[in-house]
Amino acid sequence: MKRNPFFIIICLVAALLLPACSQDEPGTPAGEAAGALPLQIGRVSLTVEPGGQPQKRVAESADGSRSVWQAGDVFQVKFDGSDEAGTYRITDAVTGAVEAVTPLYWQDTEPAGLTARYTAPPASADGTIDLGDQTAGLAYVLRAMADATYGQPVTLAFAHRLAKVRVELDGTQARRVTQVEVNNHTRCRDDGDAVVGTQAGWIQMRRADATTWEANVVPGTTLPAEFIRLNATTVAQVSGLTGLAAGAMHIIALTVGEETTPITADNCSNLNGTGNYIVSGGFGQTITVTGGSPNIYLQDANINVGSGNAIHIKDGNPTIHVQGTSSVSSSDGAGIYVAPNNTVTITGDSRDDQLTVRGNNGGSGIGGYVISSNNGTACGNITISNVTVISYGSWNSMSGDMAAGIGSAVGASCGAIVIEKATVHAYGALFDPIEATPAIGCGYPMSGDPTSIPVVKISNGSDVHAHRGGSVGKTDYIGWAGSMWNGTAANSAINLGGGTCTNSTIYCYTGNGNNVDKTIVYDASSNATEQ
């Protein structure tokens, strides 16, 4: 595991203008001592200790871009030297409106210092604050000190009393981390001069996004040797971080698994060897594999190319790792093409990971593509495992050449298709009213008939939703394409080309709708039962 700790000091900003909570004119409230006047709070802001820079949030705004108070937040105010406390509540986080819950009253007209405090969660009866579980929201200890003048609004500038620790994960296994903890104090007390930890232990951090974790902790100059823990078992040794400062954010970058190389315009045309490559967000160029067994990580990626195949496996046996929700599409080719005698493996951490693949102009979602009119390229082997895949075939508007959702294009051949422990939605194409392709299987050429179908193996509790493009010529759901001339072996069937289906279910549809024609359940011996 690579350990790259570093820190950035961050300031805490969220200035909110709050209207005064007072009478229009000084006076004597009914039932109060002569000369008593409610404390007026004219402005509340959130600032930083000297030398710091902004933290990301006190409470998270809707878009996560800034720090804000939340409506309903309650803070306490005391005059220095007095045990009497007033409480005030923020009523509108947008306008900063505030109201007195229990007003604090002046008892004389002399200037006075005061201290305001806010804690989340609220302090217990003995004054301690629970920091132990921040998975649902960060803990906060804020304080403001000010000099107040009788009859005039006071400005309260709150500062963070805790330090923020942010852990940013990268690497091939970063998204497999489901829990991050920081070794600090699970309980603390604000003793005025400093926040003091009262109970040591592991704090469960909040997951800010797929690979970022945060917690607010007690500041200090001494850190335990075992500071960060992943998935409750793996301890990451952090070096170079000598202390935690109040009002500062300390960022720790950890590589989990192997390091990855971002896919860019400079390297996308020649992925090879056994490297680990990653693409996230939008990408508009063809990714070409030229050899070896590279790992390609699609991390919430959107690969969309205008011509050619979006992912072109010229040579090699790559594994495409789907992390989150990604899409791969081409406007004029296959979504993912693998050349003959090669294998592409598409996998995820679970079926919650989803990949949508779309071919166009005669290209398969995953499989072959059209080289020229009535001429398609053969494709290699396709394995789909532990992931959800949605794949669309297409037809060529000029020639009428067609491709299956997963499989071959035109009349070319396709290698074996293996689906294991996966959910697949595959959509064939319809050249209405002449020809249609199966969800998984062979394409259809402009003239003549296809000569082969791929071997399909489905296993390990897979769910395959097979949408044939149409019922033309009794197009198969899996297997053969069909035509109005009925020149193929299509028979509205599930034809696995000599392969098997075990412990899995195939749902059969005609067209892109959700009306099921039939459901076939296969047992461990490949016996089929129609539901």
Side-chain angles (χ1 to χ4, degrees):
M1 177 180 294
K2 178 183 176 184
R3 301 174 184 86
N4 254 339
F6 60 94
F7 70 90
I8 299 175
I9 304 292
I10 298 249
C11 199
L12 312 160
V13 272
L16 303 176
L17 295 177
L18 305 181
C21 295
S22 69
Q23 304 178 150
D24 291 337
E25 299 292 340
T28 304
E32 298 296 335
L37 182 72
L39 176 71
Q40 301 176 57
I41 300 177
R43 176 181 168 83
V44 173
S45 66
L46 181 59
T47 110
V48 63
E49 300 294 341
Q53 297 187 15
Q55 261 191 10
K56 186 169 182 179
R57 62 183 69 85
V58 174
E60 191 171 6
S61 61
D63 61 2
S65 65
R66 59 193 176 94
S67 301
V68 296
W69 293 100
Q70 290 182 315
D73 284 345
V74 174
F75 57 91
Q76 186 184 77
V77 184
K78 290 183 179 180
F79 285 116
D80 293 347
S82 172
D83 291 331
E84 183 180 357
T87 55
Y88 296 83
R89 176 169 51 228
I90 295 172
T91 59
D92 191 322
V94 176
T95 64
V98 64
E99 65 180 4
V101 179
T102 305
L104 183 66
Y105 288 90
W106 290 89
Q107 297 303 311
D108 56 50
T109 61
E110 295 298 316
L114 57 80
T115 300
R117 285 188 172 87
Y118 168 86
T119 65
S124 61
D126 64 358
T128 59
I129 301 126
D130 188 354
L131 308 178
D133 186 352
Q134 299 186 35
T135 55
L138 298 181
Y140 297 98
V141 178
L142 310 178
R143 186 181 71 175
M145 303 179 69
D147 293 324
T149 301
Y150 182 81
Q152 297 182 14
V154 65
T155 296
L156 297 178
F158 283 86
H160 284 257
R161 307 276 281 158
L162 299 177
K164 177 177 281 187
V165 174
R166 173 179 287 173
V167 177
E168 297 181 346
L169 306 177
D170 63 9
T172 58
Q173 305 301 314
R175 293 207 173 198
R176 293 189 175 181
V177 175
T178 58
Q179 183 184 49
V180 179
E181 298 164 284
V182 57
N183 193 356
N184 189 260
H185 293 276
T186 58
R187 297 184 69 82
C188 71
R189 181 184 292 109
D190 186 358
D191 283 349
D193 291 337
V195 173
V196 178
T198 60
Q199 179 177 304
W202 290 98
I203 295 171
Q204 295 187 57
M205 304 183 79
R206 169 184 175 270
R207 191 172 199 165
D209 59 36
T211 56
T212 303
W213 302 76
E214 296 177 335
N216 286 338
V217 302
V218 174
T221 57
T222 302
L223 303 181
E226 296 183 347
F227 188 54
I228 300 296
R229 186 166 68 181
L230 309 178
N231 289 350
T233 56
T234 303
V235 175
Q237 303 292 335
V238 177
S239 60
L241 185 60
T242 58
L244 303 171
M249 178 161 64
H250 305 270
I251 298 178
I252 299 170
L254 296 174
T255 298
V256 185
E258 301 296 326
E259 293 187 19
T260 57
T261 299
I263 295 177
T264 66
D266 293 331
N267 66 11
C268 67
S269 61
N270 188 26
L271 305 190
N272 55 57
T274 58
N276 300 298
Y277 300 90
I278 188 167
V279 57
S280 59
F283 194 77
Q285 293 179 264
T286 294
I287 296 171
T288 303
V289 176
T290 57
S293 302
N295 292 290
I296 301 172
Y297 288 82
L298 303 183
Q299 190 177 89
D300 294 322
N302 178 18
I303 302 170
N304 186 1
V305 302
S307 62
N309 305 315
I311 297 179
H312 185 95
I313 301 163
K314 182 178 180 180
D315 185 40
N317 302 290
T319 299
I320 298 174
H321 301 265
V322 182
Q323 297 183 330
T325 301
S326 294
S327 63
V328 175
S329 63
S330 169
S331 297
D332 186 20
I336 299 173
Y337 168 72
V338 55
N341 302 315
N342 296 282
T343 299
V344 60
T345 300
I346 302 169
T347 188
D349 291 335
S350 73
R351 298 193 207 189
D352 290 337
D353 295 315
Q354 178 176 299
L355 176 65
T356 300
V357 193
R358 190 181 295 272
N360 274 296
N361 212 19
S364 296
I366 307 170
Y369 65 99
V370 175
I371 299 175
S372 59
S373 181
N374 204 39
N375 183 20
T377 181
C379 58
N381 305 310
I382 300 163
T383 295
I384 299 171
S385 176
N386 200 35
V387 69
T388 293
V389 168
I390 305 169
S391 187
Y392 294 87
S394 65
W395 62 280
N396 187 292
S397 59
M398 297 296 293
S399 67
D401 292 322
M402 306 177 69
I406 300 174
S408 59
V410 194
S413 64
C414 178
I417 298 172
V418 176
I419 299 170
E420 53 186 14
K421 197 180 177 182
T423 297
V424 172
H425 299 259
Y427 295 82
L430 173 66
F431 188 23
D432 189 40
I434 303 172
E435 298 147 352
T437 56
I440 301 171
C442 66
Y444 203 91
M446 177 183 68
S447 62
D449 294 314
T451 57
S452 67
I453 59 175
V455 175
V456 179
K457 297 180 180 180
I458 303 170
S459 65
N460 292 349
S462 293
D463 292 304
V464 176
H465 298 260
H467 294 253
R468 62 179 180 176
S471 58
V472 181
K474 296 185 177 181
T475 306
D476 285 341
Y477 298 97
I478 297 176
W480 293 98
S483 77
M484 64 180 295
W485 297 284
N486 202 25
T488 73
N491 192 33
S492 298
I494 297 172
N495 190 331
L496 302 177
T500 58
C501 182
T502 56
N503 293 324
S504 298
T505 302
I506 299 177
Y507 303 87
C508 301
Y509 310 79
T510 298
N512 293 342
N514 295 319
N515 294 323
V516 180
D517 297 341
K518 56 185 175 181
T519 301
I520 312 296
V521 177
Y522 294 82
D523 65 15
S525 300
S526 200
N527 296 313
T529 303
E530 184 172 346
Q531 303 295 299

